[in-house]
Amino acid sequence: MLDPRHAKDTIAAIATPPGDGGVGIIRISGSRALDIARRMFRPANPAFTDFLPYRLHYGHITDAAGTELDDVLCAYMPGPRSYTGESLIEINCHGGRAVLGAVLQEALNLGARLAERGEFTYRAFMNGRMDLSQAEAVAEMIHAPTKAAMHLAQVKLSGLLGRKIADLRARLEGLRAQLAVAVDFPDEELECLSPEELIATVEGVRTEIAALLRAVDRTRAWREGALAVLAGRVNAGKSSLMNGLLGRNRAIVTDQPGTTRDYLEETLNLDGLSIRLADTAGMRATDDAVEAAGLTMGRELMDRADLVLVLLDGTAPMDNDTLDAARRTGPDKGLAVLNKADLDGFDEDNGAPLKALGFETVAVSAKTGAGLDTLAARIRERILKGAGQPDPDELAPNARQAAVLANADRELADLSADADAGIPYDLLSVRLETACDVLSGITGEIAANDVLNSIFDSFCIGK
């Protein structure tokens, strides 16, 4: 839990992922960072007198007894021109866990405190180095599942979303000023804002909020990835289809029904779009408690999925279990896959009941690979809903930001209705103030500690 009372502590953490690697970085931030670095660092250059800002210095890290822990490159970035806005030291060590642990422990021994999750970026936010939307973009950059998601995060990291919100707030604050004139000087001969002009300005702001909210849905699959679930009767070929789409043998395939009792999940990259592909237990009546639990989990996955691939055995008439699952899914969320097109008994008419329900149908052979390219293209198209790849400079709020925008839009919708109904300007001004305060939650001018903790707790330690 990030506590403002400890904001003056000097903090330290490993800033690179766990595990062994060529290079690992220890980050130290705070008023004592430079002093701690001076006490740990023994320069290799005899002419070294002190750390020069924004330079890499080669030397060794030693412990209190003078024992060498590692040879390193050390950089000093003075505040406020550092990531955190404070004095910041970064020590580039060898990437072994023991080495990094030893160097970090020495920094802690010299008075630093182990950083909380996201505390370096939290300090950057608190010290005015970035607004809250930029801080969230840092986490989105780290966790971006696709190149497109990385670009979307970069747009917000540049501050474009913060500037957009500031512009919308400024327009609303301008309205508040005009309303204040009308309320404070009712008898003066002043040009006053009419209700029609007020509503027009408010609706203009709402139009831009609506555009931002549309971008949330349009880019969600790129930002967060998507879930596609394989569902169907036992031995319809779900595991074979999963292996075929992945291009490797991930799921066990046998002639014995019920091979998959739990569900398997793997990541599938379709032309830059990251999709979690889940193979579920085959649907059938069972007395086996383990298999029944797997079927329940499969139904839950289908409910959460962005797309359900309803798999049919194209050599046999459709069974009631598959038909019930298809009805539950619906054609908007489901794609019928008619498998075993390589066999002599294959008949596309076996998929007629799903076509009658409005399902799109793709014929494939999971065994030979026939039709898999077409299926992969349709999976991608259906998940994206025809939106395609986002523009490089598109603004796409995350889920928290979208909720804030939706709240502000509701407040502004009520404001327009009140203005149209002739509600007095002093009361309308209260709604405007509320809408402005709500919007400020995106950039962090007004943000409760529990909101900040929720955001920064999603970060890794060291960032």
Side-chain angles (χ1 to χ4, degrees), residues 230 232 234-235 238-239 251-254 256-265 279-299 301:
L230 295 167
V234 292
N235 274 15
K238 296 186 301 300
S239 296
I252 297 173
V253 178
T254 71
Q256 179 180 342
T259 305
T260 303
R261 294 154 66 87
D262 198 345
Y263 73 91
L264 302 176
E265 186 177 304
D279 175 21
T280 61
M283 295 179 292
R284 64 173 177 177
T286 179
D287 294 327
D288 187 299
V290 176
E291 188 173 356
L295 289 169
T296 299
M297 294 173 69
R299 285 190 290 270
L301 279 173

PDB file of all heavy atoms in Angstrom, residues 230 232 234-235 238-239 251-254 256-265 279-299 301:
ATOM      1  N   LEU A 230     -13.039 -23.075 -28.018  1.00  0.00           N
ATOM      2  CA  LEU A 230     -13.468 -24.207 -28.836  1.00  0.00           C
ATOM      3  C   LEU A 230     -14.476 -25.018 -28.035  1.00  0.00           C
ATOM      4  O   LEU A 230     -14.178 -25.459 -26.927  1.00  0.00           O
ATOM      5  CB  LEU A 230     -12.271 -25.091 -29.195  1.00  0.00           C
ATOM      6  CG  LEU A 230     -11.197 -24.451 -30.080  1.00  0.00           C
ATOM      7  CD1 LEU A 230      -9.943 -25.302 -30.097  1.00  0.00           C
ATOM      8  CD2 LEU A 230     -11.726 -24.261 -31.490  1.00  0.00           C
ATOM      9  N   GLY A 232     -17.786 -28.082 -28.339  1.00  0.00           N
ATOM     10  CA  GLY A 232     -18.435 -29.084 -29.182  1.00  0.00           C
ATOM     11  C   GLY A 232     -18.453 -30.443 -28.509  1.00  0.00           C
ATOM     12  O   GLY A 232     -17.935 -30.616 -27.396  1.00  0.00           O
ATOM     13  N   VAL A 234     -17.686 -34.482 -27.791  1.00  0.00           N
ATOM     14  CA  VAL A 234     -16.457 -35.277 -27.735  1.00  0.00           C
ATOM     15  C   VAL A 234     -16.148 -35.828 -29.132  1.00  0.00           C
ATOM     16  O   VAL A 234     -17.050 -36.164 -29.906  1.00  0.00           O
ATOM     17  CB  VAL A 234     -16.603 -36.444 -26.725  1.00  0.00           C
ATOM     18  CG1 VAL A 234     -16.701 -35.915 -25.309  1.00  0.00           C
ATOM     19  CG2 VAL A 234     -17.823 -37.306 -27.052  1.00  0.00           C
ATOM     20  N   ASN A 235     -14.849 -35.867 -29.432  1.00  0.00           N
ATOM     21  CA  ASN A 235     -14.339 -36.395 -30.705  1.00  0.00           C
ATOM     22  C   ASN A 235     -14.805 -35.619 -31.936  1.00  0.00           C
ATOM     23  O   ASN A 235     -14.772 -36.141 -33.051  1.00  0.00           O
ATOM     24  CB  ASN A 235     -14.700 -37.881 -30.872  1.00  0.00           C
ATOM     25  CG  ASN A 235     -13.667 -38.789 -30.201  1.00  0.00           C
ATOM     26  OD1 ASN A 235     -12.868 -38.319 -29.395  1.00  0.00           O
ATOM     27  ND2 ASN A 235     -13.679 -40.064 -30.533  1.00  0.00           N
ATOM     28  N   LYS A 238     -11.837 -30.946 -31.565  1.00  0.00           N
ATOM     29  CA  LYS A 238     -11.432 -29.670 -30.982  1.00  0.00           C
ATOM     30  C   LYS A 238      -9.925 -29.620 -30.725  1.00  0.00           C
ATOM     31  O   LYS A 238      -9.269 -28.628 -31.046  1.00  0.00           O
ATOM     32  CB  LYS A 238     -12.193 -29.420 -29.677  1.00  0.00           C
ATOM     33  CG  LYS A 238     -13.701 -29.274 -29.841  1.00  0.00           C
ATOM     34  CD  LYS A 238     -14.379 -28.881 -28.550  1.00  0.00           C
ATOM     35  CE  LYS A 238     -14.152 -29.889 -27.440  1.00  0.00           C
ATOM     36  NZ  LYS A 238     -14.679 -31.243 -27.803  1.00  0.00           N
ATOM     37  N   SER A 239      -9.387 -30.692 -30.141  1.00  0.00           N
ATOM     38  CA  SER A 239      -7.956 -30.696 -29.834  1.00  0.00           C
ATOM     39  C   SER A 239      -7.119 -30.686 -31.118  1.00  0.00           C
ATOM     40  O   SER A 239      -6.089 -30.013 -31.191  1.00  0.00           O
ATOM     41  CB  SER A 239      -7.606 -31.917 -28.983  1.00  0.00           C
ATOM     42  OG  SER A 239      -8.261 -31.858 -27.729  1.00  0.00           O
ATOM     43  N   ALA A 251      -2.347 -30.058 -27.665  1.00  0.00           N
ATOM     44  CA  ALA A 251      -3.392 -30.852 -27.013  1.00  0.00           C
ATOM     45  C   ALA A 251      -3.238 -32.321 -27.401  1.00  0.00           C
ATOM     46  O   ALA A 251      -2.868 -32.650 -28.532  1.00  0.00           O
ATOM     47  CB  ALA A 251      -4.767 -30.345 -27.429  1.00  0.00           C
ATOM     48  N   ILE A 252      -3.505 -33.200 -26.453  1.00  0.00           N
ATOM     49  CA  ILE A 252      -3.449 -34.640 -26.717  1.00  0.00           C
ATOM     50  C   ILE A 252      -4.632 -35.036 -27.597  1.00  0.00           C
ATOM     51  O   ILE A 252      -5.781 -34.671 -27.322  1.00  0.00           O
ATOM     52  CB  ILE A 252      -3.475 -35.435 -25.401  1.00  0.00           C
ATOM     53  CG1 ILE A 252      -2.230 -35.103 -24.562  1.00  0.00           C
ATOM     54  CG2 ILE A 252      -3.568 -36.928 -25.666  1.00  0.00           C
ATOM     55  CD1 ILE A 252      -2.256 -35.712 -23.176  1.00  0.00           C
ATOM     56  N   VAL A 253      -4.337 -35.785 -28.660  1.00  0.00           N
ATOM     57  CA  VAL A 253      -5.378 -36.232 -29.590  1.00  0.00           C
ATOM     58  C   VAL A 253      -5.395 -37.755 -29.615  1.00  0.00           C
ATOM     59  O   VAL A 253      -4.384 -38.389 -29.915  1.00  0.00           O
ATOM     60  CB  VAL A 253      -5.130 -35.691 -31.009  1.00  0.00           C
ATOM     61  CG1 VAL A 253      -6.183 -36.213 -31.969  1.00  0.00           C
ATOM     62  CG2 VAL A 253      -5.116 -34.170 -31.009  1.00  0.00           C
ATOM     63  N   THR A 254      -6.536 -38.359 -29.270  1.00  0.00           N
ATOM     64  CA  THR A 254      -6.710 -39.810 -29.358  1.00  0.00           C
ATOM     65  C   THR A 254      -8.107 -40.107 -29.874  1.00  0.00           C
ATOM     66  O   THR A 254      -8.959 -39.220 -29.964  1.00  0.00           O
ATOM     67  CB  THR A 254      -6.539 -40.487 -27.973  1.00  0.00           C
ATOM     68  OG1 THR A 254      -7.669 -40.165 -27.148  1.00  0.00           O
ATOM     69  CG2 THR A 254      -5.261 -40.044 -27.290  1.00  0.00           C
ATOM     70  N   GLN A 256     -10.058 -41.983 -28.224  1.00  0.00           N
ATOM     71  CA  GLN A 256     -10.864 -42.206 -27.023  1.00  0.00           C
ATOM     72  C   GLN A 256     -11.637 -40.951 -26.668  1.00  0.00           C
ATOM     73  O   GLN A 256     -11.069 -39.873 -26.512  1.00  0.00           O
ATOM     74  CB  GLN A 256      -9.958 -42.603 -25.852  1.00  0.00           C
ATOM     75  CG  GLN A 256     -10.721 -42.836 -24.550  1.00  0.00           C
ATOM     76  CD  GLN A 256      -9.795 -43.224 -23.417  1.00  0.00           C
ATOM     77  OE1 GLN A 256      -8.670 -43.639 -23.651  1.00  0.00           O
ATOM     78  NE2 GLN A 256     -10.273 -43.088 -22.186  1.00  0.00           N
ATOM     79  N   PRO A 257     -12.962 -41.020 -26.535  1.00  0.00           N
ATOM     80  CA  PRO A 257     -13.754 -39.838 -26.181  1.00  0.00           C
ATOM     81  C   PRO A 257     -13.371 -39.309 -24.806  1.00  0.00           C
ATOM     82  O   PRO A 257     -13.017 -40.065 -23.900  1.00  0.00           O
ATOM     83  CB  PRO A 257     -15.200 -40.359 -26.190  1.00  0.00           C
ATOM     84  CG  PRO A 257     -15.153 -41.614 -27.005  1.00  0.00           C
ATOM     85  CD  PRO A 257     -13.808 -42.214 -26.776  1.00  0.00           C
ATOM     86  N   GLY A 258     -13.449 -37.993 -24.650  1.00  0.00           N
ATOM     87  CA  GLY A 258     -13.223 -37.371 -23.345  1.00  0.00           C
ATOM     88  C   GLY A 258     -11.767 -37.215 -22.982  1.00  0.00           C
ATOM     89  O   GLY A 258     -11.426 -37.164 -21.803  1.00  0.00           O
ATOM     90  N   THR A 259     -10.868 -37.124 -23.987  1.00  0.00           N
ATOM     91  CA  THR A 259      -9.448 -36.952 -23.685  1.00  0.00           C
ATOM     92  C   THR A 259      -9.205 -35.658 -22.917  1.00  0.00           C
ATOM     93  O   THR A 259      -8.449 -35.620 -21.953  1.00  0.00           O
ATOM     94  CB  THR A 259      -8.622 -36.944 -24.993  1.00  0.00           C
ATOM     95  OG1 THR A 259      -8.902 -38.127 -25.720  1.00  0.00           O
ATOM     96  CG2 THR A 259      -7.140 -36.872 -24.689  1.00  0.00           C
ATOM     97  N   THR A 260      -9.843 -34.564 -23.337  1.00  0.00           N
ATOM     98  CA  THR A 260      -9.706 -33.284 -22.655  1.00  0.00           C
ATOM     99  C   THR A 260     -10.777 -33.187 -21.569  1.00  0.00           C
ATOM    100  O   THR A 260     -11.956 -33.087 -21.861  1.00  0.00           O
ATOM    101  CB  THR A 260      -9.857 -32.114 -23.648  1.00  0.00           C
ATOM    102  OG1 THR A 260      -8.894 -32.250 -24.686  1.00  0.00           O
ATOM    103  CG2 THR A 260      -9.656 -30.787 -22.946  1.00  0.00           C
ATOM    104  N   ARG A 261     -10.356 -33.223 -20.305  1.00  0.00           N
ATOM    105  CA  ARG A 261     -11.297 -33.178 -19.189  1.00  0.00           C
ATOM    106  C   ARG A 261     -11.283 -31.805 -18.531  1.00  0.00           C
ATOM    107  O   ARG A 261     -12.285 -31.349 -18.018  1.00  0.00           O
ATOM    108  CB  ARG A 261     -10.945 -34.271 -18.164  1.00  0.00           C
ATOM    109  CG  ARG A 261     -11.155 -35.673 -18.719  1.00  0.00           C
ATOM    110  CD  ARG A 261     -10.249 -36.687 -18.001  1.00  0.00           C
ATOM    111  NE  ARG A 261     -10.588 -36.860 -16.605  1.00  0.00           N
ATOM    112  CZ  ARG A 261     -11.503 -37.714 -16.146  1.00  0.00           C
ATOM    113  NH1 ARG A 261     -12.213 -38.442 -16.994  1.00  0.00           N
ATOM    114  NH2 ARG A 261     -11.717 -37.837 -14.858  1.00  0.00           N
ATOM    115  N   ASP A 262     -10.145 -31.157 -18.526  1.00  0.00           N
ATOM    116  CA  ASP A 262     -10.019 -29.781 -18.082  1.00  0.00           C
ATOM    117  C   ASP A 262     -10.015 -28.925 -19.355  1.00  0.00           C
ATOM    118  O   ASP A 262     -10.386 -29.400 -20.424  1.00  0.00           O
ATOM    119  CB  ASP A 262      -8.703 -29.624 -17.319  1.00  0.00           C
ATOM    120  CG  ASP A 262      -8.668 -28.379 -16.441  1.00  0.00           C
ATOM    121  OD1 ASP A 262      -9.529 -27.516 -16.654  1.00  0.00           O
ATOM    122  OD2 ASP A 262      -7.777 -28.285 -15.593  1.00  0.00           O
ATOM    123  N   TYR A 263      -9.602 -27.670 -19.274  1.00  0.00           N
ATOM    124  CA  TYR A 263      -9.446 -26.903 -20.503  1.00  0.00           C
ATOM    125  C   TYR A 263      -7.984 -26.522 -20.680  1.00  0.00           C
ATOM    126  O   TYR A 263      -7.235 -26.379 -19.719  1.00  0.00           O
ATOM    127  CB  TYR A 263     -10.339 -25.651 -20.506  1.00  0.00           C
ATOM    128  CG  TYR A 263      -9.907 -24.527 -19.596  1.00  0.00           C
ATOM    129  CD1 TYR A 263      -9.062 -23.527 -20.052  1.00  0.00           C
ATOM    130  CD2 TYR A 263     -10.350 -24.452 -18.281  1.00  0.00           C
ATOM    131  CE1 TYR A 263      -8.659 -22.486 -19.235  1.00  0.00           C
ATOM    132  CE2 TYR A 263      -9.955 -23.411 -17.452  1.00  0.00           C
ATOM    133  CZ  TYR A 263      -9.114 -22.436 -17.931  1.00  0.00           C
ATOM    134  OH  TYR A 263      -8.717 -21.418 -17.113  1.00  0.00           O
ATOM    135  N   LEU A 264      -7.562 -26.411 -21.923  1.00  0.00           N
ATOM    136  CA  LEU A 264      -6.212 -25.988 -22.264  1.00  0.00           C
ATOM    137  C   LEU A 264      -6.286 -24.584 -22.849  1.00  0.00           C
ATOM    138  O   LEU A 264      -7.236 -24.263 -23.570  1.00  0.00           O
ATOM    139  CB  LEU A 264      -5.587 -26.938 -23.286  1.00  0.00           C
ATOM    140  CG  LEU A 264      -5.486 -28.413 -22.911  1.00  0.00           C
ATOM    141  CD1 LEU A 264      -4.935 -29.210 -24.086  1.00  0.00           C
ATOM    142  CD2 LEU A 264      -4.590 -28.585 -21.692  1.00  0.00           C
ATOM    143  N   GLU A 265      -5.281 -23.786 -22.574  1.00  0.00           N
ATOM    144  CA  GLU A 265      -5.268 -22.419 -23.108  1.00  0.00           C
ATOM    145  C   GLU A 265      -3.883 -22.092 -23.630  1.00  0.00           C
ATOM    146  O   GLU A 265      -2.884 -22.328 -22.949  1.00  0.00           O
ATOM    147  CB  GLU A 265      -5.681 -21.417 -22.037  1.00  0.00           C
ATOM    148  CG  GLU A 265      -5.828 -20.000 -22.556  1.00  0.00           C
ATOM    149  CD  GLU A 265      -6.312 -19.028 -21.489  1.00  0.00           C
ATOM    150  OE1 GLU A 265      -7.385 -19.288 -20.909  1.00  0.00           O
ATOM    151  OE2 GLU A 265      -5.604 -18.037 -21.244  1.00  0.00           O
ATOM    152  N   ASP A 279      -9.248 -24.741 -25.434  1.00  0.00           N
ATOM    153  CA  ASP A 279      -9.865 -26.010 -25.830  1.00  0.00           C
ATOM    154  C   ASP A 279     -10.579 -26.570 -24.610  1.00  0.00           C
ATOM    155  O   ASP A 279      -9.958 -26.844 -23.584  1.00  0.00           O
ATOM    156  CB  ASP A 279      -8.778 -26.965 -26.329  1.00  0.00           C
ATOM    157  CG  ASP A 279      -9.321 -28.353 -26.658  1.00  0.00           C
ATOM    158  OD1 ASP A 279     -10.539 -28.472 -26.890  1.00  0.00           O
ATOM    159  OD2 ASP A 279      -8.522 -29.312 -26.683  1.00  0.00           O
ATOM    160  N   THR A 280     -11.895 -26.737 -24.699  1.00  0.00           N
ATOM    161  CA  THR A 280     -12.694 -27.174 -23.549  1.00  0.00           C
ATOM    162  C   THR A 280     -13.030 -28.660 -23.633  1.00  0.00           C
ATOM    163  O   THR A 280     -12.875 -29.290 -24.680  1.00  0.00           O
ATOM    164  CB  THR A 280     -13.999 -26.368 -23.467  1.00  0.00           C
ATOM    165  OG1 THR A 280     -14.766 -26.596 -24.659  1.00  0.00           O
ATOM    166  CG2 THR A 280     -13.705 -24.888 -23.327  1.00  0.00           C
ATOM    167  N   ALA A 281     -13.500 -29.189 -22.516  1.00  0.00           N
ATOM    168  CA  ALA A 281     -13.912 -30.588 -22.457  1.00  0.00           C
ATOM    169  C   ALA A 281     -15.096 -30.821 -23.395  1.00  0.00           C
ATOM    170  O   ALA A 281     -15.975 -29.970 -23.534  1.00  0.00           O
ATOM    171  CB  ALA A 281     -14.293 -30.960 -21.029  1.00  0.00           C
ATOM    172  N   GLY A 282     -15.092 -31.985 -24.053  1.00  0.00           N
ATOM    173  CA  GLY A 282     -16.173 -32.311 -24.969  1.00  0.00           C
ATOM    174  C   GLY A 282     -17.503 -32.452 -24.258  1.00  0.00           C
ATOM    175  O   GLY A 282     -17.594 -33.028 -23.168  1.00  0.00           O
ATOM    176  N   MET A 283     -18.562 -31.934 -24.867  1.00  0.00           N
ATOM    177  CA  MET A 283     -19.886 -31.944 -24.237  1.00  0.00           C
ATOM    178  C   MET A 283     -20.524 -33.319 -24.367  1.00  0.00           C
ATOM    179  O   MET A 283     -20.630 -33.859 -25.477  1.00  0.00           O
ATOM    180  CB  MET A 283     -20.772 -30.884 -24.899  1.00  0.00           C
ATOM    181  CG  MET A 283     -20.283 -29.468 -24.664  1.00  0.00           C
ATOM    182  SD  MET A 283     -21.315 -28.213 -25.465  1.00  0.00           S
ATOM    183  CE  MET A 283     -20.985 -28.545 -27.179  1.00  0.00           C
ATOM    184  N   ARG A 284     -20.929 -33.854 -23.264  1.00  0.00           N
ATOM    185  CA  ARG A 284     -21.683 -35.107 -23.221  1.00  0.00           C
ATOM    186  C   ARG A 284     -22.174 -35.318 -21.798  1.00  0.00           C
ATOM    187  O   ARG A 284     -21.659 -34.716 -20.852  1.00  0.00           O
ATOM    188  CB  ARG A 284     -20.822 -36.297 -23.645  1.00  0.00           C
ATOM    189  CG  ARG A 284     -19.652 -36.585 -22.716  1.00  0.00           C
ATOM    190  CD  ARG A 284     -18.960 -37.874 -23.097  1.00  0.00           C
ATOM    191  NE  ARG A 284     -17.793 -38.142 -22.259  1.00  0.00           N
ATOM    192  CZ  ARG A 284     -17.052 -39.234 -22.361  1.00  0.00           C
ATOM    193  NH1 ARG A 284     -17.352 -40.159 -23.255  1.00  0.00           N
ATOM    194  NH2 ARG A 284     -16.012 -39.405 -21.575  1.00  0.00           N
ATOM    195  N   ALA A 285     -23.175 -36.180 -21.631  1.00  0.00           N
ATOM    196  CA  ALA A 285     -23.640 -36.545 -20.299  1.00  0.00           C
ATOM    197  C   ALA A 285     -22.574 -37.414 -19.630  1.00  0.00           C
ATOM    198  O   ALA A 285     -22.003 -38.301 -20.258  1.00  0.00           O
ATOM    199  CB  ALA A 285     -24.955 -37.299 -20.382  1.00  0.00           C
ATOM    200  N   THR A 286     -22.271 -37.117 -18.354  1.00  0.00           N
ATOM    201  CA  THR A 286     -21.228 -37.867 -17.670  1.00  0.00           C
ATOM    202  C   THR A 286     -21.540 -37.955 -16.187  1.00  0.00           C
ATOM    203  O   THR A 286     -22.129 -37.041 -15.604  1.00  0.00           O
ATOM    204  CB  THR A 286     -19.855 -37.205 -17.879  1.00  0.00           C
ATOM    205  OG1 THR A 286     -18.855 -37.952 -17.178  1.00  0.00           O
ATOM    206  CG2 THR A 286     -19.836 -35.778 -17.366  1.00  0.00           C
ATOM    207  N   ASP A 287     -21.112 -39.076 -15.576  1.00  0.00           N
ATOM    208  CA  ASP A 287     -21.201 -39.249 -14.127  1.00  0.00           C
ATOM    209  C   ASP A 287     -19.852 -38.995 -13.466  1.00  0.00           C
ATOM    210  O   ASP A 287     -19.732 -39.065 -12.243  1.00  0.00           O
ATOM    211  CB  ASP A 287     -21.669 -40.669 -13.787  1.00  0.00           C
ATOM    212  CG  ASP A 287     -23.104 -40.934 -14.257  1.00  0.00           C
ATOM    213  OD1 ASP A 287     -23.899 -39.968 -14.231  1.00  0.00           O
ATOM    214  OD2 ASP A 287     -23.404 -42.079 -14.638  1.00  0.00           O
ATOM    215  N   ASP A 288     -18.825 -38.721 -14.283  1.00  0.00           N
ATOM    216  CA  ASP A 288     -17.487 -38.484 -13.760  1.00  0.00           C
ATOM    217  C   ASP A 288     -17.427 -37.068 -13.191  1.00  0.00           C
ATOM    218  O   ASP A 288     -17.640 -36.083 -13.900  1.00  0.00           O
ATOM    219  CB  ASP A 288     -16.464 -38.648 -14.893  1.00  0.00           C
ATOM    220  CG  ASP A 288     -15.035 -38.573 -14.380  1.00  0.00           C
ATOM    221  OD1 ASP A 288     -14.673 -37.528 -13.822  1.00  0.00           O
ATOM    222  OD2 ASP A 288     -14.279 -39.555 -14.554  1.00  0.00           O
ATOM    223  N   ALA A 289     -17.109 -36.955 -11.889  1.00  0.00           N
ATOM    224  CA  ALA A 289     -17.113 -35.649 -11.226  1.00  0.00           C
ATOM    225  C   ALA A 289     -16.065 -34.713 -11.823  1.00  0.00           C
ATOM    226  O   ALA A 289     -16.303 -33.503 -11.956  1.00  0.00           O
ATOM    227  CB  ALA A 289     -16.862 -35.825  -9.724  1.00  0.00           C
ATOM    228  N   VAL A 290     -14.898 -35.263 -12.191  1.00  0.00           N
ATOM    229  CA  VAL A 290     -13.830 -34.433 -12.757  1.00  0.00           C
ATOM    230  C   VAL A 290     -14.245 -33.892 -14.123  1.00  0.00           C
ATOM    231  O   VAL A 290     -14.093 -32.699 -14.430  1.00  0.00           O
ATOM    232  CB  VAL A 290     -12.512 -35.220 -12.857  1.00  0.00           C
ATOM    233  CG1 VAL A 290     -11.439 -34.387 -13.547  1.00  0.00           C
ATOM    234  CG2 VAL A 290     -12.041 -35.658 -11.479  1.00  0.00           C
ATOM    235  N   GLU A 291     -14.801 -34.777 -14.953  1.00  0.00           N
ATOM    236  CA  GLU A 291     -15.224 -34.350 -16.287  1.00  0.00           C
ATOM    237  C   GLU A 291     -16.385 -33.358 -16.190  1.00  0.00           C
ATOM    238  O   GLU A 291     -16.449 -32.382 -16.953  1.00  0.00           O
ATOM    239  CB  GLU A 291     -15.630 -35.565 -17.125  1.00  0.00           C
ATOM    240  CG  GLU A 291     -15.900 -35.215 -18.580  1.00  0.00           C
ATOM    241  CD  GLU A 291     -16.142 -36.452 -19.444  1.00  0.00           C
ATOM    242  OE1 GLU A 291     -16.037 -37.587 -18.929  1.00  0.00           O
ATOM    243  OE2 GLU A 291     -16.441 -36.258 -20.632  1.00  0.00           O
ATOM    244  N   ALA A 292     -17.291 -33.584 -15.247  1.00  0.00           N
ATOM    245  CA  ALA A 292     -18.415 -32.655 -15.066  1.00  0.00           C
ATOM    246  C   ALA A 292     -17.920 -31.274 -14.660  1.00  0.00           C
ATOM    247  O   ALA A 292     -18.432 -30.256 -15.128  1.00  0.00           O
ATOM    248  CB  ALA A 292     -19.372 -33.202 -14.011  1.00  0.00           C
ATOM    249  N   ALA A 293     -16.893 -31.235 -13.791  1.00  0.00           N
ATOM    250  CA  ALA A 293     -16.320 -29.955 -13.398  1.00  0.00           C
ATOM    251  C   ALA A 293     -15.679 -29.260 -14.599  1.00  0.00           C
ATOM    252  O   ALA A 293     -15.779 -28.040 -14.767  1.00  0.00           O
ATOM    253  CB  ALA A 293     -15.285 -30.154 -12.288  1.00  0.00           C
ATOM    254  N   GLY A 294     -15.031 -30.056 -15.474  1.00  0.00           N
ATOM    255  CA  GLY A 294     -14.441 -29.497 -16.686  1.00  0.00           C
ATOM    256  C   GLY A 294     -15.491 -28.921 -17.615  1.00  0.00           C
ATOM    257  O   GLY A 294     -15.289 -27.875 -18.240  1.00  0.00           O
ATOM    258  N   LEU A 295     -16.644 -29.585 -17.703  1.00  0.00           N
ATOM    259  CA  LEU A 295     -17.742 -29.085 -18.548  1.00  0.00           C
ATOM    260  C   LEU A 295     -18.285 -27.763 -17.994  1.00  0.00           C
ATOM    261  O   LEU A 295     -18.615 -26.844 -18.761  1.00  0.00           O
ATOM    262  CB  LEU A 295     -18.850 -30.129 -18.625  1.00  0.00           C
ATOM    263  CG  LEU A 295     -18.528 -31.395 -19.439  1.00  0.00           C
ATOM    264  CD1 LEU A 295     -19.599 -32.458 -19.223  1.00  0.00           C
ATOM    265  CD2 LEU A 295     -18.430 -31.054 -20.926  1.00  0.00           C
ATOM    266  N   THR A 296     -18.383 -27.661 -16.664  1.00  0.00           N
ATOM    267  CA  THR A 296     -18.842 -26.414 -16.049  1.00  0.00           C
ATOM    268  C   THR A 296     -17.872 -25.278 -16.347  1.00  0.00           C
ATOM    269  O   THR A 296     -18.275 -24.155 -16.694  1.00  0.00           O
ATOM    270  CB  THR A 296     -18.982 -26.592 -14.531  1.00  0.00           C
ATOM    271  OG1 THR A 296     -19.953 -27.614 -14.266  1.00  0.00           O
ATOM    272  CG2 THR A 296     -19.430 -25.299 -13.871  1.00  0.00           C
ATOM    273  N   MET A 297     -16.578 -25.560 -16.238  1.00  0.00           N
ATOM    274  CA  MET A 297     -15.581 -24.550 -16.546  1.00  0.00           C
ATOM    275  C   MET A 297     -15.656 -24.139 -18.008  1.00  0.00           C
ATOM    276  O   MET A 297     -15.491 -22.958 -18.356  1.00  0.00           O
ATOM    277  CB  MET A 297     -14.177 -25.074 -16.213  1.00  0.00           C
ATOM    278  CG  MET A 297     -13.942 -25.303 -14.734  1.00  0.00           C
ATOM    279  SD  MET A 297     -12.354 -26.095 -14.387  1.00  0.00           S
ATOM    280  CE  MET A 297     -11.229 -24.781 -14.818  1.00  0.00           C
ATOM    281  N   GLY A 298     -15.925 -25.103 -18.881  1.00  0.00           N
ATOM    282  CA  GLY A 298     -16.058 -24.797 -20.303  1.00  0.00           C
ATOM    283  C   GLY A 298     -17.213 -23.856 -20.583  1.00  0.00           C
ATOM    284  O   GLY A 298     -17.098 -22.928 -21.385  1.00  0.00           O
ATOM    285  N   ARG A 299     -18.345 -24.078 -19.907  1.00  0.00           N
ATOM    286  CA  ARG A 299     -19.509 -23.195 -20.093  1.00  0.00           C
ATOM    287  C   ARG A 299     -19.198 -21.777 -19.593  1.00  0.00           C
ATOM    288  O   ARG A 299     -19.617 -20.785 -20.198  1.00  0.00           O
ATOM    289  CB  ARG A 299     -20.723 -23.775 -19.370  1.00  0.00           C
ATOM    290  CG  ARG A 299     -21.344 -24.975 -20.087  1.00  0.00           C
ATOM    291  CD  ARG A 299     -22.670 -25.353 -19.470  1.00  0.00           C
ATOM    292  NE  ARG A 299     -22.514 -25.923 -18.147  1.00  0.00           N
ATOM    293  CZ  ARG A 299     -22.361 -27.230 -17.908  1.00  0.00           C
ATOM    294  NH1 ARG A 299     -22.360 -28.081 -18.927  1.00  0.00           N
ATOM    295  NH2 ARG A 299     -22.240 -27.672 -16.680  1.00  0.00           N
ATOM    296  N   LEU A 301     -16.243 -20.391 -19.555  1.00  0.00           N
ATOM    297  CA  LEU A 301     -15.363 -19.794 -20.555  1.00  0.00           C
ATOM    298  C   LEU A 301     -16.158 -19.303 -21.760  1.00  0.00           C
ATOM    299  O   LEU A 301     -15.890 -18.228 -22.300  1.00  0.00           O
ATOM    300  CB  LEU A 301     -14.313 -20.808 -21.015  1.00  0.00           C
ATOM    301  CG  LEU A 301     -13.093 -21.010 -20.119  1.00  0.00           C
ATOM    302  CD1 LEU A 301     -12.248 -22.163 -20.630  1.00  0.00           C
ATOM    303  CD2 LEU A 301     -12.252 -19.743 -20.058  1.00  0.00           C
TER     304      LEU A 301
END
